[in-house]
Amino acid sequence: MQILILLIQIAVLVAIVLLHVAYVTYFERKIIGHMQVRMGPMLVGWHGLLQPIADGIKSFFKEDIVPEQADKPLFLAAPIICLVAMMVSVAVLPFAKGWALADINIGLLFIFAMSSLASYGIILAGWASNSKFTLLGALRSMAQVISYEISLGLSLVGVMMLSGSLNLTEIVEAQGTSFFGMYIFSQPVAFFVFFVAMLAETNRVPFDLPEAETELVSGYITEYSGMRYAMFFMAEYIGMFVMASIGVVCFLGGWNGPFEVSIFPPIWFILKVYLIMFIFIWIRATIPRYRYDQLMAIGWKLLIPLTLGNIFVTGLVKASIN
Amino acid sequence: MESNGIVEKLREKFPDEVLADYQHLGQNCVLIRRDHILDVCRYLRDECSMNHLMCLCGVDNSTRTSTVDSFSERFEVVYQLYSIATKQMIRLRTQVPEDDCSIESITSLWIGADWLERECFDLMGIHFDGHPDLRRILTPDDWEGHPLRKEYPLRGDREWIGYEELKAKSKELSKFDFHSRDHEKGEHE
Amino acid sequence: MSKAMTVDIPVSAGDEDHYRIKMGPQHPATHGVLRVDLDLQGETILECVPHVGYLHRGFEKLAEHRSYVQNLVLTDRLDYIAAMANNVGYCEAVEKLLGIEVPLRARYLRTMVCEMSRISGHLLGLATHALDIGAMTVFLYCFRERETLLELFAELCGARLTPTYTRLGGVRQDVTHSIMMKLERFVNEFPANIEEYETLIDTNRIWLMRTVDVGTLSAEDAVSLSITGPSLRGSGVDYDIRKHFPYAAYDLVDFEVPLGETGDTYARYRCRIEEMHQSNHILRQCIEQMPPGPIIGDDAPDLVMPVKQGRKLEVDAPARQGLIKLIEDRETFMEGDIYVPTEVPKGELGFYFISDGKGSPYRMHIRSPSFIHIGALKTMAKGVMVADLIAIIGTMDVVLGECDR
């Protein structure tokens, strides 16, 4: 019985997440459209509301082209690895009190592990396509993920030290319900580093080098088409969602809000996540792209020293208070 | 645009090289012997500050009928030099005979002459001695003939060999098309 | 099914760690059908060999078989981003060769359309340059203003991209009051729009990191590479054909030539922005000073369709034959050669004509700025990174239609 309930819960979560992804693309296209003096999708449904569904159907029925010289098993597996790794990390997110599918003790570590695993998918895609542009994209992605994973992890060490836990629910509870209890006020440096690393980790502008369209055509997804292309796309947007959720959980007080909405507890969580997503999109509409070596320089020369300093100061303060 | 001074200087410096000079519509033109074009250009660039190479092109004189112009050989290379500092322009024309269709390259003076000379070689078939990388540029590498020569027809009687190869290849690959099986019979009939 | 053979260029011993990549001719950042063969070590370009010719249509050969009037339409297809400027360049050259006088109003109209196309050319250059570097919004902002200009072109002569607006001896149609009003509104609004682009990228840290000290050209190198236009002026060389060989009404209007200092990508970008301000200034003067009078010269009556009341505007086949015949019979075609440069948005567009007294040119050579700018890529891209190459292609502002002719 318990297993059945769990399965239903999983099915519901997966369905919601997939639908959510579809409408995040709509959200993004509309916002970017209006920022760029155009309308965004307008044709399918009222103000293009059915556009994501049409896109989904289109990519589902498109031919799945596998290049003749590709490493076939890896080529076919890569998008699945990417998508699964990202989907799994959704399981540990606490949407509200008790609303986590798997409230495990090492939630934060689990998410890091999964997002690193997703980069395997990217690297394999780049390698297996047997194309020069995809390989360059994969190399860039590998370098980027490795260097920014470090600063992402280190930036959250401060949060772990303050809350004393890796469990996401406990991190939220440690921040309390007051406005100034949010870790964004006690850990501003960590939040800054986390935010930058989050952009890099999800391959968003200005760190979208692995798929820099004007340089590498489409990076590691150049050779993909149809549903497999859509899988990478979904993985990217779920990644955005997961990273924004961690940001909310660790720095913005999770599901706590100014007042409680008993009908739908996760409302504050979702609003905060969408606030961060909006900033993602806003940045995409505004900022140009970094160069590869500049990206590396920021990661290693700026973010990592900053986080290390932050950990040191946090430790000192915590020790002195105790 | 009074650049007579330069023409005179040129005559003084290279009395044997300058064959003739004339002025047409306010533009000065000097006919230069082919052999020392590099020296003339270097002199113009360094001594007369003619630092901007505006234009370099080849001309085929084979069907040219003229009562005023003087030309003796089949081909001609025309250099258009300009001095940004003194606002003077001069045109150098050098005759290149058909049986020894080559001239010294001026890429050592202007890096930008590289592609202009390649274009001239490609379309006119004039060789530039000392050019670092004299290949075809606008036409494919396996193109036959030099299109801007007067005997080259405006419309050829056959397709370029590369296009034929491409057509053969596309025909071979068309068996993977969606519709090829339906239309195969109709096509071969 | 048999496994296909892997076709690869053999790599010589010692170069095994080099990565060879063919960027183009189908690539989002090469502005058309430019192919760049790259020899990479990591992401650093060891050697960059541009290949052109994919769009070669043999204009120079074609021109020898067509009359001077017919060749006019070929010039639209050179730099299709700013075709008006090419029309003017061609007409100026042929008029000088044939000795045709252009009335003052037509000269002002030419200046006006030239500057309009300069603005639209620079806008597209900036738009694609910014898009290449990743600033997507600038792209659409620029296209908004370009659209206004293209609509004006359409109202002026019926075409947006290939207008063929000028005629030998003048221009095709007079401007209407509505066009002048719209243009005036554009001229008044445009400086604020330029500021809008500047707020997005001008002091943007990432934009500065991507453009400052990238693709630097010293003044000597730029001149030696025969680079012209804003790309040359970014290196601080004061060479603008509009000042050096004034054509149309450029000697009657007042404008400055903006110069850069550093010669890097950022300086060239600033040059283009300043040039748009100057073009706007010229447009305003054209609107204010536009003199009345005929738009086509008296001594070129048989080179254009006569404007008569009640006459059908379309030329039927026999009439067109007659037109060509008239042109061929003209005795005013002088023998001789001439080189006439004009300043198009990309740089110096020169036409070298040799006439042997017949109705079509004996030889027409087009000195196209894009061709020479792409030739300069090889020198400029040595030792930079792939992303910088994209920025350099963008900043040189090349159009392949003009390059390949």
Side-chain angles (χ1 to χ4, degrees), chain A residues 21-306:
Chain A
V21 163
Y23 275 90
V24 164
T25 63
Y26 176 77
F27 184 61
E28 171 161 23
R29 286 168 72 177
K30 269 291 182 197
I31 288 175
I32 283 202
H34 283 281
M35 282 177 176
Q36 295 173 340
V37 290
R38 57 194 174 90
M39 299 299 287
M42 283 297 281
L43 288 180
V44 191
W46 184 77
H47 274 249
L49 263 180
L50 296 179
Q51 183 70 47
I53 312 233
D55 283 348
I57 295 171
K58 181 195 77 176
S59 52
F60 200 77
F61 284 106
K62 265 190 148 181
E63 189 189 355
D64 185 16
I65 299 168
V66 182
E68 201 176 32
Q69 302 196 11
D71 192 333
K72 234 169 241 168
L74 290 184
F75 185 84
L76 299 181
I80 299 172
I81 295 176
C82 228
L83 184 64
V84 167
M86 281 300 176
M87 290 269 255
V88 166
S89 32
V90 176
V92 297
L93 293 179
F95 296 96
K97 195 168 171 57
W99 280 50
L101 198 63
D103 198 8
I104 53 177
N105 280 334
I106 48 159
L108 215 47
L109 268 188
F110 181 77
I111 285 176
F112 284 149
M114 282 304 134
S115 79
S116 307
L117 204 60
S119 68
Y120 270 104
I122 291 174
I123 292 159
L124 287 180
W127 171 259
S129 300
N130 204 356
S131 154
K132 299 197 171 184
F133 285 113
T134 58
L135 186 58
L136 267 185
L139 284 174
R140 281 182 174 191
S141 170
M142 188 149 53
Q144 185 173 324
V145 167
I146 287 173
S147 23
Y148 279 82
E149 193 93 354
I150 298 172
S151 37
L152 189 75
L154 287 179
S155 72
L156 290 179
V157 169
V159 172
M160 296 173 203
M161 284 161 81
L162 285 188
S163 66
S165 170
L166 282 172
N167 182 311
L168 293 173
T169 312
E170 277 170 34
I171 291 176
V172 173
E173 276 164 355
Q175 292 176 54
T177 48
S178 71
F179 183 67
F180 288 101
M182 292 198 287
Y183 285 157
I184 185 171
F185 297 110
S186 46
Q187 292 280 334
V189 178
F191 182 69
F192 167 73
V193 173
F194 173 79
F195 195 84
V196 175
M198 176 170 75
L199 288 173
E201 188 75 11
T202 48
N203 297 335
R204 296 287 301 182
V205 172
F207 305 104
D208 62 337
L209 294 133
E211 44 199 291
E213 151 179 307
T214 48
E215 290 157 31
L216 303 179
V217 189
S218 213
Y220 57 90
I221 38 180
T222 305
E223 302 290 342
Y224 281 90
S225 61
M227 204 54 213
R228 278 175 215 283
Y229 177 81
M231 278 185 194
F232 276 117
F233 209 68
M234 283 193 279
E236 189 190 320
Y237 279 92
I238 296 175
M240 256 170 85
F241 174 72
V242 170
M243 284 296 159
S245 306
I246 300 177
V248 170
V249 165
C250 295
F251 293 101
L252 299 179
W255 60 79
N256 290 319
F259 54 89
E260 224 162 281
V261 184
S262 51
I263 313 163
F264 190 58
I267 181 86
W268 293 113
F269 181 84
I270 288 170
L271 281 180
K272 285 172 187 169
V273 166
Y274 268 87
L275 177 75
I276 293 188
M277 298 272 249
F278 174 76
I279 297 173
F280 271 56
I281 294 164
W282 191 7
I283 288 174
R284 184 178 165 203
T286 319
I287 291 184
R289 185 182 300 125
Y290 272 112
R291 204 172 61 199
Y292 179 64
D293 57 330
Q294 294 165 348
L295 172 98
M296 288 294 128
I298 292 167
W300 291 97
K301 292 185 189 159
L302 178 72
L303 296 188
I304 292 182
L306 261 184

Side-chain angles (χ1 to χ4, degrees), chain B residues 20-186:
Chain B
D21 67 282
Y22 64 89
Q23 204 173 23
H24 183 66
L25 296 165
Q27 299 189 343
N28 278 334
C29 182
V30 182
L31 270 74
I32 301 277
R33 213 184 283 277
R34 170 176 64 135
D35 306 329
H36 293 92
I37 182 69
L38 193 64
D39 296 332
V40 173
C41 283
R42 182 177 291 125
Y43 171 74
L44 282 174
R45 188 190 73 164
D46 296 340
E47 309 292 325
C48 309
S49 76
M50 289 280 188
N51 51 357
H52 178 42
L53 176 71
M54 281 175 140
C55 171
L56 186 159
C57 71
V59 180
D60 182 358
N61 284 331
S62 57
T63 61
R64 188 166 171 186
T65 51
S66 179
T67 47
V68 287
D69 241 351
S70 51
F71 44 86
S72 47
E73 304 288 354
R74 163 97 194 255
F75 293 109
E76 204 175 288
V77 179
V78 181
Y79 303 84
Q80 193 82 37
L81 300 182
Y82 184 69
S83 161
I84 292 172
T86 60
K87 302 195 176 182
Q88 287 177 324
M89 184 158 78
I90 191 168
R91 178 153 61 241
L92 307 177
R93 288 171 56 187
T94 46
Q95 310 285 323
V96 179
E98 189 176 5
D99 47 354
D100 175 27
C101 195
S102 65
I103 189 166
E104 261 180 297
S105 163
I106 57 163
T107 42
S108 53
L109 302 178
W110 287 278
I111 317 167
D114 181 344
W115 274 34
L116 293 166
E117 286 179 352
R118 269 178 75 185
E119 183 199 355
C120 186
F121 162 74
D122 182 7
L123 301 178
M124 202 60 88
I126 299 169
H127 283 268
F128 288 87
D129 299 331
H131 189 283
D133 184 25
L134 200 62
R135 284 179 293 125
R136 285 189 178 271
I137 181 161
L138 288 175
T139 53
D141 289 337
D142 51 355
W143 194 262
E144 283 168 26
H146 300 283
L148 277 183
R149 289 190 174 184
K150 286 288 175 184
E151 79 268 11
Y152 193 91
L154 184 64
R155 188 177 302 219
D157 50 357
R158 63 198 152 91
E159 293 286 359
W160 164 53
I161 180 104
Y163 182 60
E164 294 289 348
E165 282 168 13
L166 203 69
K167 275 204 291 193
K169 195 177 174 190
S170 106
K171 194 159 187 184
E172 188 196 316
L173 289 176
S174 70
K175 64 174 179 251
F176 297 113
D177 273 3
F178 278 123
H179 308 293
S180 62
R181 261 161 242 146
D182 312 338
H183 294 293
E184 223 161 39
K185 276 177 191 168

Side-chain angles (χ1 to χ4, degrees), chain C residues 79-305:
Chain C
D79 177 2
Y80 37 76
I81 307 297
M84 286 279 195
N86 305 340
N87 289 162
V88 174
Y90 177 82
C91 284
E92 291 287 332
V94 176
E95 278 151 10
K96 210 166 256 185
L97 183 72
L98 305 183
I100 302 171
E101 248 338 282
V102 185
L104 190 63
R105 186 176 174 85
R107 282 166 61 197
Y108 265 98
L109 284 175
R110 282 184 181 184
T111 312
M112 196 182 88
V113 293
C114 247
E115 291 311 311
M116 280 161 76
S117 69
R118 190 180 317 282
I119 291 179
S120 69
H122 280 344
L123 279 178
L124 191 116
L126 173 65
T128 46
H129 182 36
L131 185 70
D132 287 350
I133 291 184
M136 205 163 77
T137 307
V138 182
F139 176 78
L140 285 133
Y141 280 13
C142 289
F143 264 68
R144 184 183 56 192
E145 270 72 63
R146 190 176 143 81
E147 187 64 22
T148 322
L149 287 171
L150 292 186
E151 291 287 319
L152 276 176
F153 283 156
E155 196 173 336
L156 186 60
C157 57
R160 288 158 59 91
L161 274 183
T162 52
T164 326
Y165 176 62
T166 54
R167 289 290 182 272
L168 301 181
V171 295
R172 179 162 165 255
Q173 264 171 339
D174 209 343
V175 285
T176 60
H177 186 62
S178 132
I179 293 174
M180 293 307 258
M181 294 299 288
K182 283 180 189 163
L183 187 63
E184 200 171 350
R185 197 184 315 144
F186 175 81
V187 166
N188 290 333
E189 284 168 2
F190 190 54
N193 290 327
I194 297 180
E195 263 171 42
E196 212 170 47
Y197 319 143
E198 285 177 341
T199 52
L200 272 171
I201 49 178
D202 203 45
T203 50
N204 186 319
R205 193 175 288 264
I206 303 179
W207 179 266
L208 290 174
M209 279 173 89
R210 289 296 304 276
T211 54
V212 173
D213 286 335
V214 169
T216 311
L217 270 178
S218 68
E220 293 78 42
D221 282 351
V223 171
S224 175
L225 283 163
S226 292
I227 288 170
T228 46
S231 309
L232 176 69
R233 293 193 283 275
S235 301
V237 182
D238 187 4
Y239 178 55
D240 189 322
I241 316 273
R242 294 175 293 174
K243 289 280 189 201
H244 281 235
F245 301 89
Y247 59 97
Y250 283 115
D251 45 348
L252 303 172
V253 293
D254 161 61
F255 67 99
E256 280 167 25
V257 179
L259 292 181
E261 279 172 10
T262 44
D264 56 7
T265 305
Y266 187 73
R268 287 189 283 269
Y269 149 76
R270 281 309 312 172
C271 255
R272 291 208 169 85
I273 292 270
E274 290 303 324
E275 233 168 73
M276 287 201 275
H277 278 296
Q278 291 301 325
S279 293
N280 205 47
H281 185 48
I282 298 176
L283 277 180
R284 182 169 283 130
Q285 292 174 59
C286 282
I287 296 169
E288 283 162 5
Q289 300 174 9
M290 185 65 73
I295 54 161
I296 195 131
D298 293 333
D299 54 346
D302 51 349
L303 290 173
V304 285
M305 289 183 284

